[in-house]
Amino acid sequence: ASENIEESSRSATVTVTQKESGKELTLNITQDAASVSYNYYFYWNGADARESIHHAALGDTLSKTFISYKKKVINGSETSVTFDVGVSLSGTPSWSSVTVSGKTVSSKASENIEESSRSATVTVTQSESGKKLTLDITQNAATITYEYVFNLG
């Protein structure tokens, strides 16, 4: 029999009839469904599993794109059939609005008014596979100047 590449079993019935006697033999034939699984692909566009964004102290919006899909595997052979796979975010900081739209993670940082820089690590998780990407987000410290006033009395 040829390979079954469908996700359901298939069956047929063959009947053989002896010409002289008219006696019949019936043969039921079944073939199991294909073994179907998926290979998952998840990485930053142009990088591997870790990427970074560096914000100016005044705040800005920056983004990074990623690749997320799965390929169907039938009877152990990967096919060209692909499906998009969604993601979720965790570890987003309070000082930056981190969102996902399509295949892009955006970070919109508010102005940093502190004298120290700040940083956060956001995890992007592929929904079905649980694979993870890391996005390191940093922001420069504010430039603070002081005005000194002397009164000579």
Side-chain angles (χ1 to χ4, degrees):
S2 61
E3 178 183 20
N4 186 1
I5 58 172
E6 300 301 321
E7 294 184 45
S8 59
S9 63
R10 56 189 181 185
S11 61
T13 301
V14 176
T15 303
V16 179
T17 305
Q18 188 178 37
K19 195 173 193 177
E20 292 82 18
S21 69
K23 289 185 177 181
E24 292 184 349
L25 291 177
T26 302
L27 178 61
N28 294 315
I29 303 169
T30 59
Q31 186 176 24
D32 290 337
S35 168
V36 177
S37 60
Y38 295 91
N39 288 336
Y40 289 85
Y41 298 88
F42 190 43
Y43 52 92
W44 292 110
N45 194 13
D48 194 21
R50 192 169 207 108
E51 189 60 274
S52 61
I53 286 177
H54 188 75
H55 290 288
L58 290 175
D60 52 13
T61 301
L62 300 171
S63 61
K64 295 290 180 179
T65 58
F66 61 88
I67 307 299
S68 179
Y69 65 94
K70 64 182 179 181
K71 278 192 168 184
K72 194 173 200 178
V73 177
I74 298 176
N75 297 329
S77 297
E78 187 175 82
T79 68
S80 61
V81 179
T82 62
F83 303 92
D84 285 341
V85 179
V87 301
S88 62
L89 298 174
S90 60
T92 58
S94 60
W95 48 268
S96 179
S97 171
V98 182
T99 58
V100 174
S101 178
K103 299 276 182 5
T104 302
V105 177
S106 296
S107 174
K108 181 179 181 181
S110 58
E111 180 179 7
N112 187 359
I113 58 172
E114 302 297 324
E115 291 184 79
S116 58
S117 62
R118 52 192 180 184
S119 63
T121 300
V122 173
T123 302
V124 186
T125 304
Q126 192 178 42
S127 297
E128 296 175 25
S129 72
K131 290 184 175 187
K132 297 181 184 310
L133 298 179
T134 302
L135 179 62
D136 295 314
I137 302 174
T138 56
Q139 186 175 26
N140 288 341
T143 302
I144 298 177
T145 57
Y146 294 93
E147 183 177 314
Y148 294 94
V149 178
F150 293 98
N151 290 322
L152 299 174

